[in-house]
Amino acid sequence: MRNKSLLKEIAIIISICASSLIAVAQKKGKIVVKNDSSLTKIDPLILNKVNFPLNIAVLPENTTSSTQAVYTSSLVKQPVSNVLNALTGRLAGLNTQQITGQPGFDGVVLSLRGRTPIVLIDGIPRQLTSTDLEGIESVTVLKDAMATAMLGVRGANGAVLITTKNGVRGVQQISLTVQSAFQKPLSLLKPLNSFDYATLRNEAVANELRVNPNFNTGLRFSDADLTAYQSHSDPVGHPDVNWYNQILKSSAPLNRYSLNVSGGNKTVRYFTEVEHLYQDGLLKTSDINTYNTNQYFSRYLIRSNVDIDITKNVSAGIHVFGSIANENEPGVTTATLFNSFLTTPNNAYNIYNANGSYGGNTTFRNNLQGQAFSSGYQQNYSRNLIADFYVKRTLDEVTPGLYVKASVAYTSSLSENINRSKPVIAYQQTISNTGDVSYGPALTPTSAQINTNLISGTTGLDGLGQFRQNYFELSTGWNRTFNNAHDFNVAVLANSDSKSDGANLPYTIQGISARASYTYKKKYIAEFAEAYNGSNYYLTDNHFKYGFFPVFGLAWNIANEDFIQRLSWVNTLKLSANFGRTGNDNPGYFVYLQRYNNAAAPYFGTSNGANTSLAEGTLANPNITYEKADKFNISLQASVLNNRLGFTVDYYYNKFSDLLIQRGQNTSLIGNSYPNENIGRNQYSGMEFQLSWQNPKSGDFSYYASFNAGFQQSKVLYANEVAQPYDYMQRTGQKVGQAFGYVAEGFFQDQADVNNAKQNGVGVVTGYIAQPGDIKYQDQNKDGLINQFDQVPIGPKGPYITYGADLGFKYKNFDMSFLFQGAANYNVYLNGNSYWEFQNNGFGQAYEQQLGRFTSTNTAGATYPRLSIGNNSNNQTFSTFWYRKADFIRLKNLQVAYTLPIKYAKAVKLSSVKLFANGVNLFTVTSLKGGLDPEVYNGLYPIQRVFNFGITAKL
Amino acid sequence: MKKTIYISFLFFFMITVMPSCKKVENQPRDLNTLDLVFDSQDLNATLAQQFLNNIYNYLPTGFNRISGDFLDAASGDAISSLANTPISYYNNGLVSSTTNPDGYFSNSYNGIHQINIFLANIDKVPVPTANPTRTITWKAEARFIRAFLYFELLKRYGGVPLIGDKINGLNDNLQLSRNTFAECVTYITTECDAVKGQLNLEPISATNLGRIPRGAAIALKNRLYLYAASPLFNGGGFESDATLKVLTGYPNNDPTRWQNVIASAEELINLGVYSLVQSGNAGYVNIFSQKQNSEVILAKQQINDFTLETVNAPVGYTVNNTQSAGRTSPTQDFVEAFPTISGLPITDPLSGYNAAAPYSNRDPRFNAIIFYNGSAWLNRSGGVQTFDGGLDRPNITSVNQTKTGYYLRKFLADNSTSSSYSAQSHNFVYFRYAEILLNYAEALNEVGRTEDAVQQLILIRKRAGIQAGSGSRYGIATGVNQAGLRTLMQQVDRRIELSFEEHRFWDLRRWKIAPTELNKTLRGIQITKNANGTYTYQTVPVTTITFQEKLYHMPIPYNETVTDANLKQNSGW
């Protein structure tokens, strides 16, 4: 049953991808199909080695794990500042979500098989993902239990492993890339012009008056006002300012310069790089300032990976990464500015008074233009350093294939917030009856510019604040093949990873991990990996709580069987499965200790002194332990037809237990907050697919196509839920994070419809007086009331689907690629002052979607309920009306590149020159109406559409 | 051999180096633990006293506490100046077990939990010989607050589970049932009686102001007895289900319950330490703006500021760049309840009321409670302008203004002639002597001692500045009967004197007159300024409010009834 629906979804996805492809093809003109001798390599098919966490790399023929990776050539196609943003759409099952487009803070949020994966850089858990792309060799997604087994107590959520480039032995290569882009906002909200705003607000007031006579007639605009708004004859008294146009530029530049040098000889190999990125923001600036008030992000970084063979048996490496990043925004902060767009209607005030001062009035005191130009500035300044060292000694003299290795890794971050903001002074301009112009008193008290520099906890650009990490590892391994049949791979390591964040005591995870695999004749693989590790925030004798996390795997390399080897068209065919337990350590900060915290200070005495107070904090949980996940993964991987067609199918079933949640049966009678306890159980399951096709090298033309899709389902197995009076209210058994709300049944068409509500099985929120144009809700329990008993699971029923398609071709020196990315069964909640009208007690913004409102003349065709002022307790309740389907497909990336014929490059003494142009977020098809972007739809800093041009020269 | 050496070296290295042998702080010592809070070595009991301080945080708050509105904005005396704010839910039927603007459930139980921790541990702290009663007084303070928190629950919900001295933890069975109304009354009054002799004795020193005094325990008991004797709770419950009725009130009517009110009121009066603040209008203002005075028994101590002014003063006043929000609009109905200075109702032809100058010659408290057109404020010439188009009722699109033509002035410092606000005391009064007198008067009247009751009302009217009039009756008719005096107290004396102190909302319920008082069209005033400078006053309807029987008792929060299956929901919810 489930599989059937899955198949159906797959069919839909494929058809969507196909049709989009055709659409693009038609747009770009006819594609000439010719044979090509050179081929653009499909990165996912480059099967060299599999990177595991903790710097364990194994050959794919020796593991039962199924991983997938993207490589430099794909990553560099987008000019993004965060490496995670380059993963969108490229890895099956890895979902990225961009919350904001604000430069410096625009990193995506990852989710993998329903959980948030841990990020590893060069094998070690750390979060510095704001980095260059050229220095990244690959990003591997580790999804199954085997892949993260050695992480033990932090392997349960999967991992994304970023591996940086090392030098290779050979001639020195120097590569310089210069790129320049301009960014345009993908979608902005569409506020109403002043005339529409005033007209609609009058209508909303009239609606309120119907229920509540004498509501507040003062909120009405007069006919004279309306005329003035329409004619724009009185810009001071009746302004009409589109604040987005007023404050934002239409585009902003982004520049990136990257120079790297790599090479090596017999004993030393190196890869070094310097990079500079400058990403400008969309805010206009003014010459009145000697400083920049625009949002911008600027970063310099260096990377130097050096590996040395000291003797025949001893090798060592020093890998250093450093970055300095600076982010700037206006004094009020960019987030505040974008929030002001939502609270400031177009007719709020004139921008400048006649005397040049900022306009405003008692309701709108903060002039937006002033906030952008005259509120000073704030800067985030962060410095990050990573230094990794290792020494490796091969011990072939003991037994061939044995080695021992010691590594130390040190990470340090410091992020400062420099605040140089100042108040914006606005004045209300009034014209008296006699025509005298006066400027009211300042609407904001003047004060000196703030001058602070804060370094605090987990703030700052990378969310790190003050952060230190010390990592030690000692490992030994043994890889040996006997008689060309018995292949042994063994690795044992002990590590300790200690992090300090601000003033907290270090959080240390330490333990011993091991991995062993045995491969017989490259056909049968048996694999075992384990970790025995834990962290130090627990109530045990030595404060460490360790867990044992074993994972077992078996694989059958069918392609190496004799009967398959005879079939020349089968290149690889491998069936693998693994099962095991991993953990997720989430101990909080010594929550086993019952602590007594400072509380609000009460006052005593006539002198009105505040008195320090103490209260018992959240109840302690002495039994807290790590969360556990039992994960099963089975994978079939094949490539056939001379490696032209490749596909991989993964099925997984993960059962999480001991999840830390607050118990559902939490009564206030206990008199305190319940702690999180290890009681939750969730299940995640799904499938992931990859399918690729590439033509063989022949002639001038080559092409490739690769598709991936992930289907993710989840289920709450246990949450200590309260006894629900109706089955449909049960949270247990539903998806993890299932939304519950009312089912909207359109609008009341007329008074008769209102009167018949009860007999039609619909209604309004209990106590609310309905009028035509209000949203009616289904009365689920048929008790004639709409209340908590009528809230049912709403939103998508099927699995959450993410998918991507990477298509490209090459013709002679010209190549082109497309990346499509999308999600299905995806909903967003449109709410608040970025979507509803006249919030903030009636003074908020209103938008174009309100033009489709219900009125006495627009009934059946209405797309929006009747207008209201401020909060509407019925219409603005969480329901299917606001929880909208937002499935989408994006042309995430398109790149066109031209490599200069070698003879021209040689003429300028270069080995190769490549010119390229690429675009990001070029177009989006979404089921979300009204021109809203499916990722940033709530008025935050928009995602950008980027047009980028660049050149790479190699010496 | 060589192999063995290498391998043993390897293992030695792994075993010794990895579990790093450094001595480290393995548990934060910067956190306060129970031993530290109730330190058996600390004679000063520094942290224990801080723990007690926090218990005071659980005392109720007042003023604009319901999302910016007064609770009294749901009592017919006023409405919110903003549309659709939560306080309106009490008057338009939007209250439900999931939406209750004044849900109070968890605050009380959180307080009770902290109090029980204090009571269980404070004896570990040594008692200084110089102050041998310190622990006793502290425990009495905590126990009083616990009783007060139960009273706050009782008046809202009826009987609730009594926790006693138990400190509940994660492993305790919390499927508790509600105790009956009678059990809760007994518990609270017993606690009050137990602690009253141990609490701080009046006079309270200036530094200890705000610490629970002896009088508070008697005042709480007095108020509880008053509620318990009132029609709603004294056998008058509307529930048809007997098991519910016994939870929300006494199942039977017993008129002798009024005797408890009389006795407890006399107990407090006879302490002889509390008295009405005298000297007319200024006296009435001073009750609320003087931190320490003879009338206030217990108040929530708050920081000196002018937030209250900014929130409630008329919208035409902008002070320190902040426009006053004029959040509360008292109704014409309330304004008409004020007698004239003669103490007679404005409908009485002898009262001296002049419809053309409706605000002159009124009960002096009118000036202290209401901002009306012409009220002196911040030295503005002509005073407050609530006529149509006036500064405080500008009728423009960008200002939320009064809906009734009035703003609330009570509790604000007297800024009639100042040019700006200054930080002033704004303690929210829980118990004051005038309330005890009114409780006393009500009980006296109910047991038939109507004339004795009149004498109490006269004390308050006199203090208010009402003229004595013929026979020194202060406007109260000679020979007024029980029913007449009851109405007078309900509609005039108690309503005005205790207005906006969170009494009327509950009084209307316990008197069971909410169905008439809260089912009506509330009125406002529309004032037109004539060309010659005079004003025309016209009474206009403002909003229609409704009351449902179930609103006699608040709904137990839905979350609580589902997590504790034994917690019975009140009738109608």
Side-chain angles (χ1 to χ4, degrees), chain B residues 401-420:
Chain B
Q401 59 188 15
T402 176
K403 288 183 181 171
T404 57
Y406 302 106
Y407 291 102
L408 179 66
R409 181 167 187 168
K410 189 168 173 178
F411 311 117
L412 308 191
D414 186 3
N415 286 303
S416 306
T417 54
S418 13
S419 61
S420 170

Side-chain angles (χ1 to χ4, degrees), chain A residues 201 213 363 365 398 442 668, chain B residues 3 57 113 321 397-398 542 560:
Chain A
R201 201 164 85 168
T363 309
R365 291 155 179 278
V398 178
S668 300
Chain B
K3 278 185 192 181
N57 285 328
H113 179 76
N321 302 98
T397 50
S398 60
V542 173
E560 306 305 331

Side-chain angles (χ1 to χ4, degrees), chain A residues 664-708:
Chain A
Q665 289 160 14
N666 53 349
T667 164
S668 300
L669 294 176
I670 198 170
N672 203 340
S673 318
Y674 282 80
N676 284 338
E677 296 173 89
N678 294 94
I679 48 180
R681 289 202 301 274
N682 289 343
Q683 150 197 321
Y684 300 86
S685 63
M687 296 185 83
E688 281 139 17
F689 302 88
Q690 294 161 54
L691 177 70
S692 60
W693 172 265
Q694 58 184 1
N695 74 339
K697 302 174 185 178
S698 65
D700 288 336
F701 183 75
S702 66
Y703 67 95
Y704 70 90
S706 117
F707 304 93
N708 69 71

Side-chain angles (χ1 to χ4, degrees), chain A residues 936-948:
Chain A
V936 176
Y937 48 85
N938 46 12
L940 296 180
Y941 196 102
I943 303 186
Q944 333 268 3
R945 174 176 290 141
V946 184
F947 299 93
N948 182 35

